[in-house]
Amino acid sequence: MRRDSLISILLCIMVLISMGLTYVSINSHEFYNFLTNQDTQETIDSLPEDSTVTDYDVTAFYQSSNLELKNVLRPSGYYFHENENFYWLNQADIQQTISAYFSSRPIVIDNPGDIRQAENIFSLFDDDYLEIVFPELLPMGLLNNYLGMDNPREQVFQINQILIPFDGTQTIYLINSQTGEYVSGRLTEQLTKDELKRVVSDNTDTFLPVRRYYGNHHFIYLPIESIEMVSQLYTLDELPDNLFISQMFSGDSQPQIVSTSNTSTIYRNYRYSLEINNATKRLDFMISRIDDGVDSNLIEGIEDSFDMIKQYEYWPGDLRITNINNGRITYRHHLDNIPIFTAPNIPDYGSSTVHLRNDNSHDVYRFQTSLLIPQAFIDGVNQTYNLESDEELINYLAERGLSLDDFDYVTVGYEWQVDMEEFQKFILVPKWFLTFDDTHYALDQLDSDQFRNDYEEVMQARGGI
């Protein structure tokens, strides 16, 4: 009896061990290599030169971005001035109402080529007004959700502000704050300024009171009181390699593995090159031009860049164009209307970047994005943060010999933290971010060597130090 019981116990133990080893070997490629005394690097390198990657359809398990172009060209701020008081219209429903007015009754631009100096309209900022601010200069021809004009694809004058003074006219102003120029427009007869003003003035008790300050190129609005926000915790999902391989090489010649290492693999055919870096969890897709480029303008280049987002972007929330610099277009990921940046010393998991050729074709030649997307929100472990008021922020800058007018933009953002527990989670911490020379710095990064070096170099070029 005892012997039978002992044998039964031993058999149970052996079965459990066998099941455990089977599970581990199936789910751990490294452990499998160890058991079979094989090395992944050697296996890949030993493939014949004409080896190809077997495609299988994984797109059914993931949905790419369903955004429209107008969704990524949205403003970053709405500000209202009335009776010496300034307000930040930070409610999504009010923003959507204002956008809906212009979408159904676009601002009329009768003479888009009549470009004037903005210094002639500075006095209008002393009166009551509504100001709509975009995070980057955008060609007027793309803003057809706000503007109505003939031949929009030819209207390349760039703006980042719409000023609507509440005076007795229907005139509005489309401003390029960097060049100090503007184009005039007018509201349609179906939308009066009085009607638009009522939408905002009737809700001032729900807006955030702010004070107005001079920035490098335009006004910056900061809250009079500190803002209370909470951090966000999500589990992470890593997009599989074949999700991109099956799409990027679809209908083309099969790719070959031309380079591999412990951290990344490169797939390539005669036209495309795809590098997947498993250490940084980033993707880099390159396109070789097989014919001469056709002349186009920035409007067409941005439209083509958005085609890449439509095909290969899997971020489940909002994206916005926040930077266009030397042909590099940054689509920043947003969560609850708030942009996502990353902590120093880690890749920018908060953005996707499309590169345009530096010629008259504006062709897309490169696309970079993250393989990481949020999977599930974890509730109950959030921390509360108090973001600085205007006076606290200005004093913080002054202690470091800085001024608000050194910076282009100041915005509330989430900072993606370094601690990801082997890419199992990510934490977003709310902070103030200041834009200097097209780079976003969290307030606590202003003591860093990176910022100081950048600041000194740029200020010397400006003649400031």
Side-chain angles (χ1 to χ4, degrees), residues 292-430:
D292 294 333
V294 177
D295 286 357
S296 67
N297 58 31
L298 181 59
I299 292 176
E300 295 169 305
I302 293 175
E303 290 174 336
D304 290 344
S305 78
F306 183 67
D307 286 341
M308 301 296 289
I309 296 295
K310 290 283 289 183
Q311 294 180 75
Y312 307 127
E313 176 60 65
Y314 289 87
W315 181 260
D318 288 339
L319 294 96
R320 315 243 182 112
I321 291 181
T322 58
N323 186 261
I324 303 174
N325 185 25
N326 294 325
R328 187 175 66 249
I329 303 176
T330 300
Y331 290 80
R332 189 147 300 280
H333 301 166
H334 282 63
L335 182 66
D336 297 331
N337 221 27
I338 298 174
I340 297 175
F341 305 96
T342 49
N345 303 318
I346 62 173
D348 188 357
Y349 297 115
S351 73
S352 297
T353 306
V354 182
H355 301 256
L356 306 181
R357 294 190 183 279
N358 190 25
D359 57 25
N360 292 332
S361 72
H362 294 90
D363 286 341
V364 173
Y365 77 92
R366 190 176 188 182
F367 172 65
Q368 296 170 298
T369 192
S370 170
L371 300 175
L372 304 176
I373 59 173
Q375 186 175 52
F377 173 69
I378 308 299
D379 198 5
V381 293
N382 314 94
Q383 296 185 33
T384 300
Y385 293 81
N386 288 311
L387 273 62
E388 292 79 0
S389 67
D390 63 334
E391 293 183 352
E392 291 171 330
L393 194 150
I394 289 171
N395 290 337
Y396 186 92
L397 296 178
E399 290 171 359
R400 288 152 179 79
L402 303 171
S403 173
L404 200 58
D405 59 12
D406 293 331
F407 298 92
D408 299 322
Y409 293 92
V410 179
T411 187
V412 174
Y414 283 123
E415 185 181 73
W416 186 305
Q417 299 300 289
V418 175
D419 178 20
M420 289 180 278
E421 291 188 1
E422 299 296 327
F423 302 107
Q424 298 301 307
K425 68 170 188 183
F426 73 107
I427 303 170
L428 300 176
V429 173

Side-chain angles (χ1 to χ4, degrees), residues 19-36 38 40:
M19 291 174 63
L21 288 173
T22 300
Y23 174 83
V24 171
S25 64
I26 291 174
N27 291 277
S28 174
H29 186 59
E30 292 181 1
F31 188 73
Y32 176 80
N33 289 334
F34 171 76
L35 290 178
T36 58
Q38 293 179 349
T40 305

Side-chain angles (χ1 to χ4, degrees), residues 5-259:
S5 299
L6 181 60
I7 291 174
S8 297
I9 292 171
L10 290 173
L11 286 173
C12 288
I13 292 173
M14 294 298 293
V15 168
L16 290 173
I17 292 173
S18 176
M19 291 174 63
L21 288 173
T22 300
Y23 174 83
V24 171
S25 64
I26 291 174
N27 291 277
S28 174
H29 186 59
E30 292 181 1
F31 188 73
Y32 176 80
N33 289 334
F34 171 76
L35 290 178
T36 58
N37 195 30
Q38 293 179 349
D39 180 77
T40 305
Q41 173 72 44
E42 293 179 356
T43 301
I44 295 176
D45 286 347
S46 65
L47 289 173
E49 291 184 359
D50 60 350
S51 293
T52 60
V53 179
T54 302
D55 291 331
Y56 61 88
D57 186 15
V58 295
T59 58
F61 301 100
Y62 296 90
Q63 182 178 0
S64 60
S65 171
N66 60 357
L67 298 174
E68 298 179 39
L69 181 59
K70 65 181 182 181
N71 300 132
V72 302
L73 302 174
R74 291 164 58 189
S76 57
Y78 296 76
Y79 304 99
F80 177 46
H81 177 216
E82 182 181 46
N83 299 328
E84 305 305 318
N85 297 313
F86 297 93
Y87 303 93
W88 175 16
L89 284 60
N90 57 333
Q91 291 90 346
D93 58 339
I94 296 296
Q95 296 176 8
Q96 290 168 3
T97 299
I98 295 172
S99 294
Y101 271 113
F102 293 125
S103 180
S104 60
R105 288 161 280 186
I107 298 167
V108 179
I109 313 296
D110 293 316
N111 191 359
D114 185 14
I115 301 171
R116 304 187 180 187
Q117 293 300 311
E119 61 186 17
N120 300 325
I121 61 172
F122 282 164
S123 61
L124 296 174
F125 284 95
D126 295 330
D127 302 324
D128 294 351
Y129 64 81
L130 173 66
E131 182 184 0
I132 301 174
V133 178
F134 293 87
E136 177 57 287
L137 291 170
L138 297 169
M140 287 197 309
L142 281 177
L143 300 175
N144 53 20
N145 198 40
Y146 297 86
L147 312 177
M149 66 194 85
D150 296 330
N151 303 316
R153 295 176 68 84
E154 299 176 8
Q155 309 309 327
V156 295
F157 179 71
Q158 298 178 63
I159 68 166
N160 60 341
Q161 294 173 270
I162 299 177
L163 175 64
I164 306 169
F166 291 119
D167 52 18
T169 72
Q170 288 288 87
T171 305
I172 61 91
Y173 303 91
L174 312 171
I175 304 172
N176 182 321
S177 66
Q178 292 190 18
T179 64
E181 298 173 319
Y182 75 92
V183 168
S184 296
R186 58 181 173 85
L187 300 181
T188 66
E189 295 179 356
Q190 292 75 31
L191 176 61
T192 67
K193 287 185 178 179
D194 287 340
E195 181 182 0
L196 192 58
K197 186 176 182 180
R198 281 195 297 271
V199 173
V200 290
S201 62
D202 291 348
N203 292 279
T204 53
D205 58 330
T206 66
F207 300 153
L208 190 67
V210 294
R211 274 190 277 257
R212 188 179 71 182
Y213 296 90
Y214 286 103
N216 185 33
H217 292 299
H218 51 77
F219 290 121
I220 290 174
Y221 301 85
L222 297 176
I224 296 173
E225 303 291 336
S226 63
I227 304 175
E228 185 177 285
M229 295 182 64
V230 296
S231 62
Q232 307 287 323
L233 172 62
Y234 283 82
T235 59
L236 274 171
D237 185 19
E238 182 179 344
L239 299 171
D241 296 3
N242 263 33
L243 177 64
F244 299 97
I245 297 171
S246 61
Q247 293 185 85
M248 292 175 171
F249 296 96
S250 176
D252 226 307
S253 65
Q254 287 286 314
Q256 296 178 327
I257 301 176
V258 297
S259 176

Side-chain angles (χ1 to χ4, degrees), residues 438-456:
D438 288 324
T439 302
H440 305 285
Y441 294 95
L443 192 60
D444 56 8
Q445 287 180 254
L446 300 185
D447 291 322
S448 67
D449 291 338
Q450 178 185 351
F451 171 74
R452 280 297 168 182
N453 293 335
D454 188 16
Y455 179 80
E456 291 176 5

